[in-house]
Amino acid sequence: MSERADCALRAAEAGAAVASGSFRDGIAVETKGQKTDVVTQADHDAQAQVVSTIRDRYADDPIVGEEDEELGAVPDAGPAWVVDPIDGTNNFVRGIRTWTTSVAATVDGEPQAGATVCPVLEDTYLLDSGTAYQNGEELSVSDRTDPEEFVVVPTVWWEFDRREEYAAACAGIVERFGDMRRFGSAQLELALCAAGAVDGVITNVHVMPWDSLVGVGLVEAAGGVVTDIDGEPWRHDSRGLVASNGQAHDAVLAAAREAEDVR
């Protein structure tokens, strides 16, 4: 394992262990402006543990984090770390098992290594040297080619004033593909695409880097395709995120663009 992948894994595992200690334990919940944008003390404590673990080995690298005083944007040059202590906090506070701790190591804004740990599900996804792994086994996206056999996920969150876009994206999925899922954690949804469990993940909104970088790296390393809403290669500052197994990416992209028609 490369040094940065090892650090990402150890940091994600350490943060996940802290968060797990508060899962289903009646923890207090606050909002960060929107009613559905929640945060808990577990988020802060888990991020502190992740940051401490990274700092033990990379004292001077910039760290981008969802919570607290870390940077809010990924540097375009040089190495950096991107941290999401609990991706899927709404699931976490409701006692739903689908949440993760994710840590990405980037160089020049691109994911080079990373880990997404799902402690309650007992699954760990690792990106290392251009290869994606789940629990130590190498991953590959699905080989399905028929869109009517696809399962596609509408990911992240459309605010209340954008619900027509949310509805249009869902309609775009159910009209084209076999079925739809929604798990409430973008990092987990992208990891599942890399593992071939789902065939596409879509949104037309900007996805924050802590919600996406590890997952995007996993999908691409597993042989999939990730673009923005215009079909261009995805970056951490792109608008929209469309991931697929690459077999019918145009159809997956078309479903995402349904949301554009009602903006």
Side-chain angles (χ1 to χ4, degrees):
M1 191 184 302
S2 68
E3 291 185 6
R4 287 185 180 271
D6 180 67
C7 183
L9 177 59
R10 292 179 184 275
E13 289 176 335
V18 169
S20 294
S22 299
F23 184 57
R24 294 181 174 172
D25 197 31
I27 195 165
V29 180
E30 301 175 2
T31 61
K32 295 189 287 186
Q34 300 290 336
K35 293 179 180 179
T36 56
D37 190 7
V38 299
V39 65
T40 70
Q41 188 60 46
D43 292 86
H44 298 295
D45 294 344
Q47 179 156 308
Q49 183 61 61
V50 170
V51 170
S52 176
T53 304
I54 294 169
R55 289 281 180 239
D56 284 344
R57 295 171 67 173
Y58 297 93
D60 299 324
D61 282 4
I63 297 178
V64 179
E66 182 174 13
E67 313 300 341
D68 303 322
E69 301 302 319
E70 308 306 328
L71 294 176
V74 180
D76 283 328
W81 299 85
V82 184
V83 175
D84 195 339
I86 303 177
D87 183 50
T89 304
N90 268 298
N91 288 345
F92 182 90
V93 302
R94 292 170 180 267
I96 299 171
R97 296 169 179 263
T98 49
W99 58 272
T100 78
T101 299
S102 295
V103 178
T106 66
V107 176
D108 299 338
E110 298 294 332
Q112 303 296 311
T116 290
V117 175
C118 315
V120 188
L121 301 178
E122 299 183 345
D123 282 328
T124 294
Y125 298 90
L126 179 69
L127 172 66
D128 183 21
S129 302
T131 304
Y133 302 90
Q134 179 186 28
N135 302 333
E137 299 292 329
E138 190 169 337
L139 290 181
S140 177
V141 294
S142 73
D143 60 1
R144 300 179 189 92
T145 59
D146 183 353
E148 292 187 0
E149 296 180 350
F150 278 27
V151 171
V152 176
V153 179
T155 196
V156 298
W157 194 244
W158 286 263
E159 297 295 346
F160 283 101
D161 61 352
R162 301 185 67 176
R163 288 305 171 88
E164 289 184 353
E165 295 171 57
Y166 186 5
C170 291
I173 291 172
V174 300
E175 290 169 0
R176 288 174 173 81
F177 305 113
D179 209 344
M180 181 174 72
R181 297 287 188 276
R182 183 174 169 86
F183 297 92
S185 164
Q187 292 283 20
L188 176 60
E189 290 160 345
L190 289 164
L192 291 172
C193 185
V198 303
D199 308 289
V201 179
I202 69 166
T203 187
N204 69 316
V205 303
H206 172 67
V207 184
M208 301 306 293
W210 43 80
D211 292 329
S212 54
L213 275 168
V214 178
V216 167
L218 290 168
V219 172
E220 293 179 335
V225 174
V226 187
T227 68
D228 64 15
I229 195 65
D230 296 316
E232 298 298 321
W234 186 89
R235 281 176 39 89
H236 62 83
D237 54 0
S238 293
R239 187 173 68 82
L241 189 158
V242 182
S244 79
N245 65 359
Q247 298 298 322
H249 191 78
D250 287 348
V252 180
L253 184 58
R257 286 177 172 165
E258 291 283 348
E260 294 290 277
D261 293 340
V262 298
R263 290 188 74 206

